[in-house]
Amino acid sequence: MAQLPSMHRPNLLDQLSPREREILPLVAQGKDNREIGSILFISEKTAKNYVTSIRKKLGLKNRTQIALFALKEGIISIEETFN
Amino acid sequence: MAQLPSMHRPNLLDQLSPREREILPLVAQGKDNREIGSILFISEKTAKNYVTSIRKKLGLKNRTQIALFALKEGIISIEETFN
DNA sequence: GCCTTCTTTGTCATATCATGTACCAGAAGA
DNA sequence: TCTTCTGGTACATGATATGACAAAGAAGGC
């Protein structure tokens, strides 16, 4: 049986702060830390900290897995990625 | 109108060598170079080189974009990723 | 068939840059 | 007080740029 994107397990996404939920789709679209920083007007270092925090909270190994997670959860659709 | 995964543009995938086509889905599943190396019994360095070559041939910036590309093209499905 | 010549492929290496890991700390606000 | 947002340092690991070389195959002429 299929899993609807909106019905998560005990809700990993709720563990993310509002700002982290802003970062997540940008990572998932294939953007690097420098790009994320300039989009949100924060430093690359801060962007990096958010990505690390997201990754740890979601229990993932790298930012590619963050992207795949976001797609699985329906946070972004494949059409809204890079090009 | 929707685009079928099997009808590519002038076929980017044909530019990839057989070995590169083996590497591509592994990248797309969120695996790092060390994992790819041990799966294919080659060194991490060699895996690294293949990923670079794939990325350049496909005109992408990083391995997250490789993953997103592979999903768009239907080379892998979201279900066959990491966990 | 045999001998070049060119190209592709697969392999590994070194060097540099990006990302990840592990913290810390101040400001602002609920 | 507690969380969130922000930026930072220091170091480890992963990713990217580039070079190199051997093996194998295609293509052609002799």
Side-chain angles (χ1 to χ4, degrees):
Chain A
M1 171 186 173
Q3 186 89 345
L4 290 177
S6 50
M7 331 181 52
H8 305 122
R9 278 81 57 193
N11 233 336
L12 277 169
L13 288 178
D14 291 350
Q15 297 175 11
L16 301 184
S17 75
R19 194 55 156 169
E20 286 164 351
R21 280 190 281 269
E22 252 182 307
I23 306 277
L24 177 53
L26 299 177
V27 177
Q29 284 161 17
K31 302 195 190 309
D32 62 24
N33 293 328
R34 190 186 46 77
E35 289 175 308
I36 294 171
S38 68
I39 289 169
L40 299 179
F41 304 103
I42 58 179
S43 80
E44 176 183 350
K45 318 232 182 207
T46 303
K48 190 189 283 200
N49 286 336
Y50 282 124
V51 176
T52 296
S53 179
I54 291 167
R55 192 170 34 71
K56 288 175 78 170
K57 285 182 178 177
L58 300 180
L60 303 172
K61 287 182 60 179
N62 52 55
R63 64 172 54 212
T64 298
Q65 293 193 351
I66 295 180
L68 297 173
F69 174 87
L71 284 165
K72 282 184 187 173
E73 298 297 321
I75 295 162
I76 60 161
S77 72
I78 192 65
E79 290 82 13
E80 31 187 353
T81 57
F82 61 107
N83 58 6
Chain B
M1 172 187 174
Q3 186 87 348
L4 291 177
S6 50
M7 331 181 50
H8 303 121
R9 280 80 57 193
N11 234 335
L12 277 169
L13 287 178
D14 291 348
Q15 297 175 10
L16 301 184
S17 74
R19 194 58 156 169
E20 286 165 350
R21 279 190 282 269
E22 253 182 306
I23 306 277
L24 178 52
L26 299 177
V27 177
Q29 284 160 18
K31 303 196 191 309
D32 62 24
N33 294 326
R34 188 186 48 77
E35 289 175 307
I36 294 172
S38 70
I39 289 170
L40 298 179
F41 304 103
I42 57 180
S43 80
E44 175 183 352
K45 319 231 181 206
T46 302
K48 217 177 263 197
N49 289 333
Y50 282 122
V51 175
T52 296
S53 180
I54 291 168
R55 189 172 38 73
K56 289 176 79 167
K57 285 182 179 177
L58 300 180
L60 303 173
K61 287 182 60 181
N62 53 55
R63 62 171 54 211
T64 298
Q65 293 191 352
I66 296 180
L68 297 172
F69 174 87
L71 284 166
K72 282 183 187 174
E73 298 299 321
I75 294 162
I76 60 159
S77 72
I78 191 65
E79 289 82 13
E80 28 187 357
T81 58
F82 60 106
N83 57 7

